[in-house]
Amino acid sequence: MDEKLKAYTHPERVRRVDHKGKYFNAAGPHLIEPSRQRTPFIFQAGASKAGKGFATKHAEAMFLPGMHIESVRKSVLEIRQTATAQGRDLNGLKLIVDETDELAQQKYDEYLTYADLDGSLALFGG
């Protein structure tokens, strides 16, 4: 980025890059406008110490695993403390959407039927 000219690119250096491959074709130009922050929106998925550290410093959003409210609460408190120490403020959010509130609640209830404590313990214990 050229701060003086307020230019992100040199137009004369921009060229179209198309991809035609075995599995997919893609037009070279990016089809979405940049976000207001002008940088990629960073999601962090991972609950390791390094992952949490990266998220609290750089990420706009974080996926948190957890089968029990208390374990998730503990992670959230640790993450908020780390973020606060770095001058950042974080909020939590869980989204489940559908055409109506009732359908969204049914979807959430269905998701809960797939939760398996023993399977989760095996996954995270492995």
Side-chain angles (χ1 to χ4, degrees):
M1 168 122 182
D2 187 329
E3 290 290 333
K4 189 174 182 180
L5 297 176
K6 301 292 183 201
Y8 182 73
T9 62
H10 296 280
E12 69 279 2
R13 295 183 190 170
V14 176
R15 62 185 173 85
R16 185 178 180 103
V17 179
D18 292 321
H19 172 79
K20 291 186 174 127
K22 180 177 178 180
Y23 299 104
F24 67 93
N25 297 330
H30 194 46
L31 302 177
I32 326 175
E33 292 181 22
S35 63
R36 287 187 175 153
Q37 75 260 22
R38 307 294 297 173
T39 58
F41 190 92
I42 299 173
F43 277 93
Q44 165 62 17
S48 68
K49 185 175 180 178
K52 289 177 185 177
F54 177 87
T56 57
K57 187 173 182 180
H58 301 290
E60 282 74 39
M62 207 177 158
F63 294 107
L64 291 177
M67 294 297 292
H68 296 288
I69 291 172
E70 286 306 316
S71 65
V72 174
R73 180 177 288 132
K74 181 180 174 191
S75 290
V76 168
L77 290 173
E78 290 172 3
I79 290 163
R80 284 191 174 147
Q81 287 173 346
T82 304
T84 300
Q86 296 180 33
R88 297 188 77 196
D89 186 21
L90 304 177
N91 294 302
L93 178 67
K94 172 175 46 179
L95 290 176
I96 298 174
V97 297
D98 210 314
E99 293 180 22
T100 66
D101 288 346
E102 291 79 19
L103 289 173
Q105 183 64 50
Q106 288 173 9
K107 189 182 285 185
Y108 175 67
D109 293 340
E110 178 189 355
Y111 290 164
L112 291 178
T113 68
Y114 299 123
D116 180 51
L117 178 59
D118 290 335
S120 297
L121 290 172
L123 173 68
F124 293 112

